[in-house]
Amino acid sequence: MTKAKRAISAWALILAAWTTTDTVITAPALHAFTARNLIYGSTGYDVDELQGRLHLLGYYWGKIDGVFGWKTYWAVRTFQYNFGLPVTGEVDMRTKMMLVKATPNWNYKMDFPDRPSGTSAASPATAASAGQATGTLVSGDGFTHGMDNLSASDLNLMAHVVYGEARGEPFEGQVAVAAVILNRLHDPKFPKSIPAIVYQPGAFDCVNDGQINLQPNREAMQAVIDAVNGWDPTHGALYYFNPAKTSNAWMWAQPELVTIGHHIFTA
């Protein structure tokens, strides 16, 4: 049986599942999704389709290579969050159905890869807790320490900034603030440590008004963990501002990347 026929046969299983739930979807002529769940470490042409659909929606910005890595994982989580699905990072039938509904104009434009479809034994949570292939370690303080050799003090300070700057924002917006701090850490225009970035004059309003001293909650801490583990909803932003509160002409002139909650994130 050819790979294309296998893909069509697998797609028939998904259509059959939709029929049992009385859901009617007009599908493109050819699909690669299979009936299996896709998780971190999965490979195959169905992962190509996943990445392609997420890219079409603006959630995935990596290479469409059929390998379910961390960029794909965080893109899935963001999609699930925005579409009201359980935020697991695992692509189950419900997530596939929502993806197809959201991307009716998607077409499979590349050849099916030669590699076989397969699934790794470790889920993202398992890999992170074991420190496998992620470059991260979960310490006793509950924080995940990543490739930047960040200390518990660094992460705690980041959580204070996230809480001071973005409490009340969507969780994705809190992760975005943490991601901006990390993006600055990797940019030569900024200082080379978390404290120096946070306390750089004029960098963060919460430092100026004292809200950095508020005790962060678990959500702010989790936002830092997710950012350190690679989730960047801003696509590399170095700045952000609240348009309702900012009249700074320089900030308004920066290239806008994405708006999350009340913040515009810029390059």
Side-chain angles (χ1 to χ4, degrees):
M1 182 182 293
T2 66
K3 293 176 182 177
K5 288 182 179 178
R6 285 200 300 271
I8 294 171
S9 176
W11 188 248
L13 295 176
I14 295 179
L15 291 179
W18 284 335
T19 302
T20 62
T21 59
D22 296 322
T23 302
V24 178
I25 297 175
T26 301
L30 181 62
H31 299 268
F33 274 154
T34 62
R36 67 176 177 141
N37 287 0
L38 300 176
I39 64 172
Y40 176 83
S42 296
T43 60
Y45 47 74
D46 46 358
V47 180
D48 279 295
E49 174 164 354
L50 170 66
Q51 292 170 330
R53 290 184 182 277
L54 289 170
H55 177 75
L56 183 64
L57 293 170
Y59 291 108
Y60 179 71
W61 295 87
K63 182 179 179 181
I64 298 178
D65 56 4
V67 179
F68 197 131
W70 284 108
K71 288 183 178 179
T72 306
Y73 172 75
W74 291 117
V76 169
R77 284 179 61 98
T78 305
F79 171 81
Q80 290 172 328
Y81 177 84
N82 287 337
F83 279 76
L85 299 169
V87 182
T88 63
E90 178 177 336
V91 183
D92 57 7
M93 183 64 69
R94 184 179 176 187
T95 299
K96 291 175 185 176
M97 291 169 63
M98 188 65 74
L99 267 170
V100 173
K101 288 181 182 179
T103 54
N105 296 323
W106 178 89
N107 288 296
Y108 203 101
K109 296 181 179 179
M110 66 192 81
D111 294 332
F112 289 115
D114 291 332
R115 60 182 174 277
S117 296
T119 303
S120 73
S123 67
T126 303
S129 63
Q132 300 170 356
T134 64
T136 62
L137 292 173
V138 178
S139 68
D141 59 13
F143 277 115
T144 304
H145 298 248
M147 296 297 291
D148 294 312
N149 295 318
L150 301 178
S151 68
S153 177
D154 290 333
L155 300 170
N156 182 60
L157 180 59
M158 289 177 64
H160 276 266
V161 174
V162 169
Y163 188 73
E165 293 276 309
R167 66 184 182 280
E169 292 293 311
F171 180 70
E172 181 184 1
Q174 297 180 52
V175 177
V177 169
V180 165
I181 298 173
L182 294 176
N183 291 339
R184 292 184 181 185
L185 185 64
H186 299 145
D187 190 287
K189 297 191 298 291
F190 294 90
K192 296 305 178 186
S193 72
I194 296 299
I197 289 170
V198 170
Y199 291 109
Q200 189 175 24
F204 294 98
D205 289 340
C206 68
V207 174
N208 298 333
D209 61 22
Q211 293 189 64
I212 192 171
N213 297 315
L214 297 174
Q215 182 62 38
N217 58 13
R218 289 301 306 173
E219 189 173 43
M221 295 177 183
Q222 184 62 50
V224 172
I225 291 172
D226 286 353
V228 170
N229 272 329
W231 186 11
D232 183 2
T234 74
H235 310 302
L238 295 172
Y239 307 97
Y240 63 91
F241 65 96
N242 186 331
K245 298 180 179 180
T246 301
S247 58
N248 186 302
W250 185 87
M251 289 297 295
W252 278 100
Q254 302 312 301
E256 180 178 340
L257 297 177
V258 66
T259 297
I260 306 174
H262 293 92
H263 289 137
I264 295 176
F265 292 83
T266 65

